[in-house]
Amino acid sequence: MTPDRRIRVGIDVGGTFTDAVAVDAATLTLVGQVKVPTSHHHEDGVAHGIVQALRRLLDESGRTASDVVFLAHGTTQATNALLEGDVAKVGLIGIGAGPGAVVTRRLASFGKLELTPGKRLPLAYAHVADPSDEAAVLAAVERVRADGADVLVATEPFAVDRPEGERAVLDAARTTGLPLAAAHEITSMYGLHKRTRTAVVNAAILPRMLTTADLVDASITKAGVTAPLMVMRCDGGVMSLDEMRRRPLLTILSGPAAGVAGALMRERISEGLFLETGGTSTDISVVRRGRVAVRQATILGRPSYLNALDVRTVGVGGGSMVRVSGGRVVGVGPRSAHIAGLPYACFASPGELRDARVATVRPMAGDPGDYLVLDAAGGRFAVTMTCAANALGRVGEGDFARADQEVARAALAPVAAALGTDVAGAARAVLDAGTEQVGTVVEAMIRDYRLDRDTALLVGGGGGAAAVTPHLAASLGLEGRIARHSEVISPIGVALALVREQVERIVPGATQEQILAVRAEAEQAVVAQGAAADGVEVEVTVDPQTNTVRAVATGATELRTQDRSHRADADERLRAAATSLKTAEAQVRVLAGTGAYTVYGTEVRRRLRADRHPVRVVDADGVVRLGAPDARVATMTVAESGEALAALVRDTTSYGDGGVRAPAVRLLVGGRIADLSGVLDPEALLALARTELRPRGSGEPVVAVVESRT
């Protein structure tokens, strides 16, 4: 039998290096990884580095271009363009007559948005009263072109519902050959200023991103890869190159998204936080109910309609230096050994650390003068979080940050003497001070997203992961672990990411048909970008306060299977459930099951309130995929689901001053967990359930996990 040589390739283009990995398409195991310098200054830009990384990766993994079935890359180019002010001049065509003209003319103020200190967003504004007047439109276009515009945006009040005016302007302007965009095509949310600002920023980076996209596409094709090229989005998914050409803004902030996507797919997190730790900082993001948490991003200091990963950054990393005063550790960071130009003490040789003595310095002008260093026979060294973690034996064998523990202890010995403690005490003091800052943010995110501490998992990634995650998890009383191949977790995330699309519509009093139409639009969008139709999952949320209907669809570009070399037996799955439920195994019972999942539950008796029935859903690998603090569980077939679900929803719907609130429902069917918890209307919930189950066989088992909303 011919071995399966198919691979998924993920390439992460960073500011300094471009990392590439090859992942076996069948088992999802890592089969190759390379690192090359990012080619910012090459005539082909970052495209050259991407192709260089791909060629080296294929050579070192023993694969050919024909073995590549999926290729995606993440890039910081859009983010850097805004940070550096390297953007195109936008020609904004405002549309409106009478009072509408007053509103749109105010959009010319976007030219005051500051990109970098002293550099503003380049914008040329022109106005047309009647978009059907082609001569007037062309005159407006010529005015902004004469003012140096490289890309055009058309915007009009209420274009979300009546887009004809914006389309008419673009139709008339096509003869210019400039890149074009209508504000309603970038986002279909109400709010003229916010919608137009999002479209203008998107347009400002459009020409540069189009050039890069064309170069990368041509280079990949020339290299012999026939798999379609995908690009990392800022919400943890990937999109087609054509979609990136239309909405390059979606690649902004995609760097942290790649890491959490890798943790989500490779570590099978269902509830928890991902901490990506580099040398200087730690990016913290949330996974809830098996999905990354996103929110509307702030760009150029203003809110936008860009839904990006909710990532919070703390200035503590593996290379963060220690601050001491009055015989105690008073802080860690934000200055790092990398910025100070000092080597880590734990990576020195024993001879270099001979005669080490403690001193304090100002790493950079204006810094406090209490940063601790060692002056020794081999020169000056920084004592870092990584040094402390190695001294305590917290850095695993084969870890990127692993050092000789005895050398690390020797580096901490002078510090311990200065603090009046032993080496272990000094190392703990350093890690306590550093992780305290990270812990404050972690606790805030647990509260903000109402994560269940019983199931919340801390997963560390990045080269400095071992310096933060293990100690922080222990201090917070949470389960923690380092992701496999943590130093390349970002390109792994790119390689494993699912095609993702989000559709949002403001629909006052949305009917079942309107909700299902938004769902269908999101599903069709990911299929159009290459996702396998039979594997698409769609999460729908209806917000009655803002009248927003949101559908997030995800799907794989090919059918994938997990490594079957290990499957948890019944005892292992029971043990995982009991650990998560924080109770004895004897108190846990099996409530239901499908071929992919087993549902466990227990009972918590309370004297003055109703008893609780916590539930955990465990997959075949022994990973807790879903936790509910108090839920009902029911098993049925697809044929029975109509009446059975209607009865369940009827019995668990709550009524009060806030209106009718349907229960939070998740359906286990086949290998999927269909999350219907975002819908509060009972009828709409049941309509979505019918849509999810319609393709299934009538005798297929369905397990419903139902939580009443109080």
Side-chain angles (χ1 to χ4, degrees):
M1 181 178 177
T2 303
D4 190 341
R5 296 173 51 82
R6 298 175 305 149
I7 55 172
R8 298 174 65 89
V9 173
I11 303 175
D12 184 46
V13 183
T16 305
F17 291 104
T18 294
D19 291 296
V21 299
V23 176
D24 187 290
T27 65
L28 304 190
T29 55
L30 185 67
V31 297
Q33 63 185 83
V34 300
K35 182 187 295 284
V36 302
T38 298
S39 53
H40 293 294
H41 304 297
H42 191 273
E43 62 181 355
D44 289 341
V46 298
H48 176 74
I50 289 174
V51 175
Q52 186 182 25
L54 175 62
R55 286 173 176 159
R56 277 190 52 190
L57 183 68
L58 294 176
D59 288 343
E60 295 185 16
S61 62
R63 301 301 207 277
T64 66
S66 62
D67 295 324
V68 179
V69 295
F70 176 90
L71 174 63
H73 77 90
T75 176
T76 59
Q77 190 173 21
T79 305
N80 293 343
L82 289 178
L83 291 175
E84 297 164 7
D86 184 14
V87 299
K89 190 165 190 175
V90 179
L92 179 61
I93 309 296
I95 306 167
V102 176
V103 177
T104 51
R105 288 184 190 277
R106 291 175 183 164
L107 301 177
S109 65
F110 289 159
K112 298 178 181 178
L113 290 173
E114 194 171 62
L115 294 170
T116 60
K119 188 168 186 178
R120 300 188 182 281
L121 180 72
L123 183 83
Y125 180 84
H127 193 87
V128 294
D130 181 4
S132 64
D133 184 343
E134 187 171 343
V137 171
L138 289 174
V141 170
E142 284 307 312
R143 285 197 296 275
V144 296
R145 286 188 71 188
D147 202 8
D150 301 304
V151 56
L152 300 178
V153 173
T155 187
E156 182 180 21
F158 310 110
V160 170
D161 296 321
R162 299 195 300 271
E164 296 82 7
E166 291 183 1
R167 289 174 179 164
V169 169
L170 296 193
D171 287 342
R174 291 192 198 284
T175 56
T176 65
L178 293 179
L180 309 170
H184 80 274
E185 294 175 343
I186 306 304
T187 172
S188 295
M189 298 294 286
Y190 291 157
L192 177 67
H193 272 70
K194 196 172 178 180
R195 182 173 70 250
T196 305
R197 186 168 57 245
T198 303
V200 164
V201 174
N202 182 80
I205 61 175
L206 186 59
R208 179 175 174 179
M209 297 297 287
L210 285 175
T211 300
T212 299
D214 291 341
L215 282 171
V216 174
D217 194 21
S219 299
I220 294 298
T221 301
K222 187 176 179 180
V225 175
T226 57
L229 179 63
M230 311 295 284
V231 184
M232 195 75 197
R233 292 165 52 114
C234 55
D235 56 10
V238 291
M239 59 183 168
S240 68
L241 198 62
D242 284 343
E243 188 61 27
M244 193 278 279
R245 288 186 173 104
R246 189 171 75 89
R247 293 187 291 172
L249 191 63
L250 289 174
T251 66
I252 287 181
L253 306 175
S254 62
V260 72
L264 182 66
M265 297 296 294
R266 194 168 181 80
E267 300 299 318
R268 308 290 296 279
I269 309 173
S270 59
E271 191 104 340
L273 298 101
F274 176 65
L275 289 71
E276 186 161 16
T277 303
T280 304
S281 62
T282 296
D283 291 330
I284 307 163
S285 46
V286 166
V287 174
R288 186 172 186 272
R289 307 289 192 185
R291 291 179 172 85
V292 294
V294 298
R295 65 177 179 180
Q296 289 182 345
T298 298
I299 300 176
L300 303 183
R302 305 291 179 86
S304 73
Y305 278 132
L306 174 69
N307 287 291
L309 183 77
D310 182 3
V311 59
R312 304 179 195 180
T313 302
V314 181
V316 173
S320 294
M321 296 172 65
V322 182
R323 297 173 59 193
V324 295
S325 180
R328 64 187 183 90
V329 176
V330 296
V332 171
R335 191 65 69 209
S336 70
H338 310 78
I339 301 301
L342 295 174
Y344 292 25
C346 59
F347 295 132
S349 68
E352 288 174 320
L353 290 178
R354 192 180 68 251
D355 301 326
R357 59 183 179 82
V358 168
T360 54
V361 300
R362 300 179 191 273
M364 304 288 285
D367 286 345
D370 57 2
Y371 281 90
L372 184 145
V373 296
L374 297 181
D375 285 329
R380 175 166 285 179
F381 298 91
V383 177
T384 66
M385 291 280 286
T386 295
C387 296
N390 273 292
L392 290 177
R394 296 277 176 83
V395 186
E397 188 73 42
D399 193 290
F400 181 78
R402 174 88 167 193
D404 185 302
Q405 186 175 3
E406 290 308 311
V407 173
R409 289 180 61 83
L412 266 291
V415 181
L419 299 178
T421 184
D422 58 12
V423 168
R428 283 194 295 270
V430 171
L431 294 180
D432 284 343
T435 58
E436 181 182 8
Q437 301 173 55
V438 183
T440 299
V441 176
V442 166
E443 291 283 21
M445 297 185 87
I446 288 175
R447 290 193 303 272
D448 290 350
Y449 287 97
R450 299 179 182 178
L451 299 185
D452 184 349
R453 295 184 71 95
D454 291 342
T455 57
L457 174 69
L458 297 187
V459 175
V468 172
T469 300
H471 193 81
L472 178 62
S475 64
L476 296 182
L478 298 172
E479 183 184 352
R481 67 169 180 256
I482 305 296
R484 291 170 290 166
H485 306 291
S486 61
E487 74 280 5
V488 288
I489 194 67
S490 287
I492 287 174
V494 176
L496 299 181
L498 301 173
V499 183
R500 181 181 172 104
E501 187 58 78
Q502 176 167 304
V503 175
E504 288 183 309
R505 296 286 183 269
I506 294 179
V507 188
T511 64
Q512 293 179 39
E513 291 75 15
Q514 289 170 317
I515 294 171
L516 291 174
V518 174
R519 181 196 183 282
E521 185 178 347
E523 182 176 21
Q524 291 163 9
V526 295
V527 171
Q529 294 181 62
D534 56 354
V536 174
E537 296 186 14
V538 186
E539 178 187 9
V540 178
T541 304
V542 181
D543 187 338
Q545 293 183 323
T546 61
N547 293 313
T548 302
V549 181
R550 180 181 301 108
V552 179
T554 54
T557 55
E558 59 172 3
L559 296 177
R560 295 180 298 169
T561 58
Q562 292 285 346
D563 183 359
R564 301 300 188 211
S565 60
H566 173 73
R567 279 294 179 260
D569 60 23
D571 290 340
E572 290 177 283
R573 294 196 298 272
L574 174 62
R575 189 157 51 248
T579 300
S580 178
L581 290 164
K582 297 194 173 176
T583 190
E585 293 178 26
Q587 302 300 315
V588 179
R589 56 195 179 90
V590 175
L591 303 179
T594 67
Y597 304 104
T598 308
V599 185
Y600 298 90
T602 189
E603 186 174 52
V604 178
R605 296 189 176 278
R606 299 187 290 185
R607 295 178 62 184
L608 301 178
R609 290 183 291 172
D611 295 343
R612 283 195 307 113
H613 299 86
V615 166
R616 300 291 184 265
V617 177
V618 181
D619 69 13
D621 291 321
V623 177
V624 177
R625 298 297 305 276
L626 174 65
D630 190 17
R632 292 174 59 174
V633 176
T635 302
M636 63 203 72
T637 64
V638 170
E640 299 165 342
S641 63
E643 293 183 9
L645 285 175
L648 270 173
V649 170
R650 183 174 60 249
D651 293 345
T652 52
T653 294
S654 59
Y655 303 85
D657 294 339
V660 178
R661 294 169 62 86
V665 175
R666 284 101 182 168
L667 301 178
L668 314 183
V669 55
R672 296 171 59 184
I673 300 178
D675 190 342
L676 311 180
S677 61
V679 181
L680 299 178
D681 178 73
E683 293 304 318
L685 169 63
L686 292 172
L688 283 169
R690 288 193 294 271
T691 300
E692 290 288 347
L693 298 177
R694 187 174 296 128
R696 301 285 175 173
S698 61
E700 189 170 354
V702 179
V703 176
V705 180
V706 182
E707 296 178 79
S708 296
R709 303 182 201 263
T710 56

